[in-house]
Amino acid sequence: MNPAEQLIRQKFLQYYLAHNKGFYLPPSPEEREYGFLLFKEKFMVRHRAFRDPSLLLAAIRDLVPAHIYFSTAYYQQPTAPMDEKGWKRADLVFDIDADHLDTPCKPEHDTWKCKSCGILGKGGAPKVCPKCKNDRLEEQTWLCAQCLQHAKEETSKLLEILYSDFGVDPSDTHVFFSGHRGYHVHVYSNDLGLVGEEERREIANYVLGQGLEPELHELEELKSGGTTVIEGPQIGQPGWRGRMVAGIYDVLGEEGEQVGLSAAQTRTLMAQDRDKLFGRPFWSSVKGIGLTTWKALSSKAVEKRSAKIDSVVTTDVHRLIRLPGTLNGHTGLMAMKVQKERFDEFDPFNESLAFYGNMKVRVKDSPQFELGHRQFGPYQNEEIELPSYAAMLLLCKRRAEPLG
Ligand SMILES: [Zn+2]
Ligand SMILES: [Zn+2]
């Protein structure tokens, strides 16, 4: 462990020693597998189980991990090797993370470096290095209000799809802040809990609107006699049909131009009330917009209305996922449950703070950031005393070193 990790670990220990409220516990906590990623050599301790929450807290105080996880699956024997655990069912989970979102601010705050050839880049890391094609890329990401706001909007779209298309009961649905760059949604349902990886992949694809072909959703050209009529779904129809139509209005501007709408056609469409226009057969009502353009607009509308989840997480029925109430070793912030009723107002940069008092650190470099309603940075090679929550973020992000 380097000096920064030693200091972070010591602060995490103090936090967990002072912690006496107990953690958020999922249903049937004793049927879950727990995993701990240690500071030391990034070693993973897993296949642990706890009959009692106080034993879990004791283990956390003993190990002082950088990251704490529990399984979305329920097992007969959570401590057994993977193929002998006896899988019973698994919560349906969704992960929405800025890592998977295309936010315009990323080039300002994220960088990557190829571990093989050493070239540097701005923004989110590509899958492989553009120069040497190696996939060992090291990312330096930052916590950003714009990215998290985007993640929140994706989460809201996901919840709407789950409630209206899958009939998921809102009272079975729980939203969590990851303590870093995103949100998790967990659905506790006996029926959905039993579905396997194939079905979960289909659920993920549905939420993402992946492979949705507008012509398979009633969008078609009908020729009778000498006239051609375009027919399609209407607003208010259940599922993706109504959602697709409702989304068309949102993509009329710049994106409409990309698919060939003229300024005059856009004006004609925008001049009308959305619900009135799309509530009646409208697909043939604007001159000069053919089937190809409507299809392209519909696809853009689907793209806009889909929820950008990480489908790998949803598909995996043995997933370990962050335990709410514990610290995220990437930031020193708390992973936590968010009340859905006040999700819009939830402020991850204020409500997830875990450290108080002040700390002196040497900051190597840091972009400007806001935490606890205060503005910090940018910093460049300075020794500075900061509120502990801000110093811990910089230490966890390897932007600062302990002093002395
Ligand atoms: Zn390279
Ligand atoms: Zn951002």
Side-chain angles (χ1 to χ4, degrees), residues 158-371:
L158 168 68
L159 293 175
E160 189 274 323
I161 295 173
L162 290 177
Y163 299 157
S164 50
D165 295 18
F166 289 93
V168 167
D169 188 338
S171 64
D172 291 336
T173 312
H174 303 266
V175 179
F176 304 92
F177 171 53
S178 73
H180 193 194
R181 301 216 295 171
Y183 294 94
H184 297 157
V185 171
H186 297 200
V187 180
Y188 305 137
S189 149
N190 286 335
D191 302 334
L192 282 168
L194 291 170
V195 304
E197 299 205 337
E198 269 313 304
E199 294 89 342
R200 285 172 205 249
R201 183 168 296 116
E202 283 191 33
I203 293 173
N205 286 346
Y206 184 93
V207 166
L208 285 161
Q210 215 156 62
L212 192 152
E213 305 276 358
E215 55 268 51
L216 299 179
H217 292 267
E218 302 175 351
L219 181 59
E220 57 187 345
E221 201 169 55
L222 299 173
K223 288 192 167 83
S224 71
T227 55
T228 309
V229 180
I230 300 171
E231 287 194 348
Q234 285 175 34
I235 210 163
Q237 267 185 271
W240 268 112
R241 291 178 188 181
R243 191 173 292 115
M244 183 170 89
V245 177
I248 285 179
Y249 217 70
D250 306 335
V251 297
L252 284 176
E254 196 181 316
E255 293 175 274
E257 278 171 39
Q258 288 167 13
V259 300
L261 278 191
S262 70
Q265 286 168 333
T266 302
R267 267 200 307 278
T268 309
L269 286 167
M270 302 260 292
Q272 311 192 45
D273 178 78
R274 186 186 73 167
D275 290 356
K276 269 191 201 150
L277 171 68
F278 294 139
R280 56 188 160 79
F282 65 95
W283 300 90
S284 276
S285 66
V286 184
K287 278 206 173 61
I289 305 183
L291 187 66
T292 313
T293 307
W294 278 126
K295 269 191 207 166
L297 277 174
S298 301
S299 294
K300 288 211 179 275
V302 170
E303 168 71 22
K304 191 129 206 154
R305 291 287 173 121
S306 66
K308 312 292 180 298
I309 57 163
D310 177 359
S311 52
V312 172
V313 174
T314 299
T315 306
D316 187 353
V317 295
H318 301 102
R319 192 81 187 178
L320 290 179
I321 199 151
R322 193 173 293 282
L323 183 68
T326 62
L327 296 170
N328 187 316
H330 297 304
T331 57
L333 297 175
M334 222 188 328
M336 60 188 292
K337 184 172 160 80
V338 182
Q339 295 304 324
K340 289 197 299 289
E341 302 71 39
R342 48 177 303 277
F343 184 42
D344 283 348
E345 301 120 70
F346 175 73
D347 178 359
F349 300 102
N350 189 45
E351 301 185 37
S352 65
L353 305 185
F355 295 99
Y356 299 94
N358 289 323
M359 283 167 77
K360 269 190 170 166
V361 287
R362 180 184 299 112
V363 188
K364 289 178 277 187
D365 71 297
S366 154
Q368 199 173 57
F369 64 99
E370 209 184 296
L371 218 49

Side-chain angles (χ1 to χ4, degrees), residues 9 26 39-40 60 68 70 83 103 110 118 121 130 215 241 257 259 288 303 311 334 389 395:
R9 189 177 181 276
F39 284 100
K40 199 180 169 194
I60 290 170
I68 300 169
F70 73 100
D83 49 356
T103 44
D110 289 359
E215 55 268 51
R241 291 178 188 181
E257 278 171 39
V259 300
E303 168 71 22
S311 52
M334 222 188 328
Y389 54 79
L395 288 165

